[in-house]
Amino acid sequence: MATRTYEVMYIVDPETPAEKIGKLNDAVGKLIKKEGGEVVNMDDMGLRNLAYPIQKKTEGHYVLFEITGSGQEIAELERRMRVNDMIMRYITVRVDEERKTADKRRTKREARSAKRASFRPTAEENAAPEATAEA
């Protein structure tokens, strides 16, 4: 199986106590490891305003996980999030292809700028002709 990179973000009900959110985050991390994935990064973004009301609430507690794995852990994770009452919304995005494309573009852009820089005269070269014109 190919290893892929995913970002999983979920919004927890704002009325949920901080201890329960911490336990939920630990449970998500353990589930991912149990299913064969690896948590690369976990960002607890805290309480933020929602773009639109969800279940008559205007705020939510945002959590972002960056995961590498085969995809089996994502299926199980989404299944559990669907039935969890604390989680108001969740989304999973596969980001490895976009990052590869962005890296290719970045290297191409850097190579192009290095090539252009080799054609440009430096500051010393520009200053030298002016000095000879005055003499």
Side-chain angles (χ1 to χ4, degrees), residues 19-45:
E19 312 86 51
K20 280 193 166 188
I21 294 173
K23 287 180 183 178
L24 176 66
N25 294 342
D26 291 340
V28 168
K30 287 178 185 175
L31 173 68
I32 292 166
K33 288 178 184 169
K34 184 182 128 198
E35 293 290 326
E38 180 186 345
V39 176
V40 176
N41 188 18
M42 195 277 286
D43 187 15
D44 190 342
M45 300 165 96

Side-chain angles (χ1 to χ4, degrees), residues 3-125:
T3 302
R4 298 180 174 146
T5 306
Y6 299 92
E7 284 185 352
V8 177
M9 177 176 272
Y10 54 90
I11 306 172
V12 181
D13 190 331
E15 297 165 1
T16 307
E19 312 86 51
K20 280 193 166 188
I21 294 173
K23 287 180 183 178
L24 176 66
N25 294 342
D26 291 340
V28 168
K30 287 178 185 175
L31 173 68
I32 292 166
K33 288 178 184 169
K34 184 182 128 198
E35 293 290 326
E38 180 186 345
V39 176
V40 176
N41 188 18
M42 195 277 286
D43 187 15
D44 190 342
M45 300 165 96
L47 206 60
R48 294 181 176 242
N49 288 331
L50 300 173
Y52 55 89
I54 300 173
Q55 300 169 1
K56 298 184 180 179
K57 294 179 175 72
T58 58
E59 289 185 329
H61 192 97
Y62 283 70
V63 181
L64 175 69
F65 274 87
E66 186 175 336
I67 302 165
T68 57
S70 62
Q72 281 182 304
E73 59 278 343
I74 299 301
E76 178 63 19
L77 184 61
E78 286 185 349
R79 185 189 73 76
R80 290 194 184 187
M81 281 197 233
R82 227 176 280 126
V83 297
N84 193 327
D85 292 336
M86 289 190 294
I87 298 176
M88 299 189 323
R89 289 283 192 276
Y90 67 90
I91 187 168
T92 304
V93 180
R94 183 175 161 198
V95 294
D96 56 345
E97 292 296 322
E98 288 85 9
R99 288 184 181 169
K100 284 180 188 175
T101 309
D103 287 340
K104 285 181 185 177
R105 287 183 185 157
R106 186 179 313 112
T107 55
K108 191 174 181 180
R109 189 178 323 122
E110 289 170 355
R112 193 176 329 129
S113 65
K115 188 175 179 181
R116 286 181 185 162
S118 68
F119 291 127
R120 287 190 200 132
T122 60
E124 296 104 26
E125 291 172 359

